[in-house]
Amino acid sequence: MSRLLTAFSVLAALVPFAFGQSAEWGQCGGIGWTGATTCVSGTTCTVLNDYYSQCLPGTATTAPSTPTSTSVVTPSSTAGLHTLAKAAGKLYFGTATDNPELTDTAYAAKLNDSKEFGQITPGNSMKWDATEPTRGTFTFSGGDQIANLAKANGQLLRGHNCVWYNQLPSWVSDGTFTAADLTTVIQNHCGTLVGHYKGQIYSWDVINEPFNDDGTWRQDIFYNTLNTTYVPIALKAARAADPNAKLYINDYNIENTGAKATAMLNLVKELIADGVPIDGVGFQCHFIVGEVSTSLQTVMEQFTALGLEVAITELDIRMTLPETEALLAQQQKDYQSVVQACMNVEGCVGITIWDWTDKYSWVPSTFSGQGAACPWDENFAIKPAYNGIVAALTA
Ligand SMILES: *[C@@H]1O[C@H](CO)[C@@H](O)[C@H](O)[C@H]1NC(C)=O
Ligand SMILES: *[C@@H]1O[C@H](CO)[C@@H](O)[C@H](O)[C@H]1NC(C)=O
């Protein structure tokens, strides 16, 4: 998931001021909207339909994204989540981030806190449309900004991603390729991208979201042209480009036992049998309050039993707004149980939340009427969810 468009970062370079808040009459949400989700003062973000929310003058009669709770939550530990995760034997606790957010100094100061976040993942700037917008022409400025930040802060970096059906430049998604031609395209993209960051990346999501929810293969340019062979083609190119990076396949809705998890398991078994390089499976974990997976540990263990590592790569737990004390309390339990599943599996190396603050969550603009999915609120105050994570990390 996390289909925030990379056009976002390109635009951000041109009009950096536009990303804090939307202007009066500006768009502030809707399916596919990737810009600001808050409005300038004196206007209110108003849902007109699923695809369009607009900053209308005046104050809201209903303010779906405004937290109703202002109660202060006291942290049950001030050590920092990454410090606690390390003490518990994990490699990292980390967060996604994105280039436009880095101009927010209060946000950046917290992101820089390596006691809290020992690992970061760029939300968009290493995706195909950002890194190879035209064939053979690579642009790494956005990805480099985040890689350099990780380096300066001593944080591990997850690369995201090489091959995905979404956020492709049109020369790829709408291209007409022979199998041989597309093989070259994938080898060049993954090889150049992974090679550019050689030595800087802990793990790469080489393949992202290959399956439909029913466990069938997603019909995209890669599958339709190369059948399943695009997977080993990409993995081998990534291995050759950076032999020390852990190579992952990353997906959602594999957190529960079922057809999709089984399809992933079968794919991984086949890759191992064929001698294709594969080191890990990423469980995205974009969950809903009250509906988190109860079989996450079981599924993870099926993969670690094959000798792979696993990680929680994109955790957030959204709710239907407005926030209530009851929803926040359930969210605390849910964060605790998801993190606990990783704690219970030795081969689960770490947990990444899909941004730490509700201010920059992808949820409100993607799932109409939903939000408040992160452990910190829009004002960077911790929510009960934070203490749920602490409880699991210190259990
Ligand atoms: C975050 O860390 C980077 C890299 O050290 C530094 O350049 C930047 O100024 C820091 N930002 C804040 C707000 O502390
Ligand atoms: C894709 O490959 C599989 C396994 O080799 C094969 O069973 C299947 O028929 C192929 N599908 C297409 C559309 O060629």
Side-chain angles (χ1 to χ4, degrees):
M1 286 198 195
S2 33
R3 56 182 76 80
L4 292 168
L5 295 175
T6 310
F8 195 39
S9 348
V10 175
L11 278 171
L14 303 173
V15 280
F17 52 86
F19 287 86
Q21 294 185 314
S22 286
E24 188 174 348
W25 309 115
Q27 187 171 358
C28 55
I31 294 170
W33 173 244
T34 58
T37 53
T38 55
C39 294
V40 294
S41 121
T43 68
T44 301
C45 187
T46 307
V47 176
L48 301 184
N49 58 54
D50 284 354
Y51 294 88
Y52 201 82
S53 298
Q54 191 178 24
C55 296
L56 300 179
T59 46
T61 46
T62 57
S65 67
T66 304
T68 54
S69 164
T70 52
S71 59
V72 174
V73 177
T74 307
S76 46
S77 166
T78 54
L81 300 180
H82 175 65
T83 304
L84 295 176
K86 287 284 279 188
K90 297 300 172 193
L91 260 185
Y92 60 83
F93 189 95
T95 182
T97 186
D98 205 358
N99 300 71
E101 306 162 16
L102 301 176
T103 56
D104 178 339
T105 44
Y107 172 90
K110 185 76 194 167
L111 181 72
N112 280 356
D113 181 357
S114 56
K115 294 194 296 300
E116 208 80 82
F117 310 115
Q119 176 275 325
I120 57 178
T121 306
N124 289 294
S125 51
M126 290 185 188
K127 288 173 179 172
W128 200 315
D129 58 355
T131 52
E132 195 185 3
T134 55
R135 186 170 182 172
T137 305
F138 286 84
T139 54
F140 293 119
S141 52
D144 286 356
Q145 186 185 13
I146 290 174
N148 291 338
L149 191 70
K151 196 175 183 181
N153 293 331
Q155 294 160 320
L156 297 172
L157 189 61
R158 297 197 78 252
H160 181 79
N161 53 54
C162 293
V163 176
W164 186 33
Y165 76 94
N166 206 347
Q167 290 181 241
L168 288 171
S170 56
W171 72 267
V172 179
S173 53
D174 303 339
T176 313
F177 302 99
T178 63
D181 197 16
L182 190 59
T183 299
T184 306
V185 164
I186 293 169
Q187 287 171 334
N188 190 45
H189 181 72
C190 292
T192 307
L193 176 64
V194 174
H196 178 79
Y197 293 106
K198 183 181 179 183
Q200 298 181 63
I201 299 259
Y202 170 69
S203 57
W204 263 108
D205 293 328
V206 178
I207 305 291
N208 200 38
E209 304 179 352
F211 294 113
N212 296 312
D213 283 347
D214 65 0
T216 57
W217 283 82
R218 197 184 285 280
Q219 309 277 311
D220 59 14
I221 185 75
F222 307 109
Y223 181 79
N224 292 340
T225 309
L226 289 165
N227 198 338
T228 64
T229 63
Y230 78 87
V231 174
I233 290 166
L235 286 165
K236 287 175 186 171
R239 176 63 94 231
D242 185 354
N244 293 319
K246 303 276 187 191
L247 308 183
Y248 273 62
I249 304 177
N250 188 49
D251 214 330
Y252 63 93
N253 288 354
I254 56 168
E255 301 91 350
N256 287 292
T257 49
K260 194 170 185 179
T262 301
M264 184 64 84
L265 197 62
N266 289 339
L267 169 61
V268 164
K269 284 178 181 169
E270 204 175 300
L271 293 171
I272 293 170
D274 292 347
V276 176
I278 175 76
D279 303 305
V281 170
F283 292 74
Q284 291 186 2
C285 298
H286 293 292
F287 287 137
I288 296 170
V289 166
E291 300 175 26
V292 302
S293 168
T294 51
S295 50
L296 181 55
Q297 181 182 337
T298 305
V299 181
M300 284 181 160
E301 284 168 344
Q302 292 173 340
F303 287 91
T304 57
L306 302 175
L308 297 192
E309 60 178 54
V310 295
I312 291 175
T313 53
E314 305 186 14
L315 175 62
D316 53 21
I317 309 180
R318 62 187 184 266
M319 61 181 71
T320 298
L321 299 169
E323 285 178 9
T324 62
E325 295 297 337
L327 283 167
L328 290 169
Q330 182 62 45
Q331 187 183 45
Q332 174 174 1
K333 288 186 192 142
D334 291 342
Y335 265 98
Q336 181 172 346
S337 76
V338 173
V339 173
Q340 190 65 53
C342 180
M343 296 301 292
N344 293 348
V345 178
E346 200 186 340
C348 182
V349 296
I351 296 135
T352 307
I353 47 179
W354 206 247
D355 228 315
W356 55 271
T357 164
D358 291 335
K359 185 172 183 180
Y360 296 117
S361 171
W362 70 304
V363 168
S365 58
T366 308
F367 302 97
S368 182
Q370 299 179 56
C374 302
W376 279 261
D377 71 14
E378 293 181 1
N379 300 313
F380 305 160
I382 62 164
K383 292 155 63 175
Y386 183 94
N387 286 340
I389 298 170
V390 169
L393 294 176
T394 55

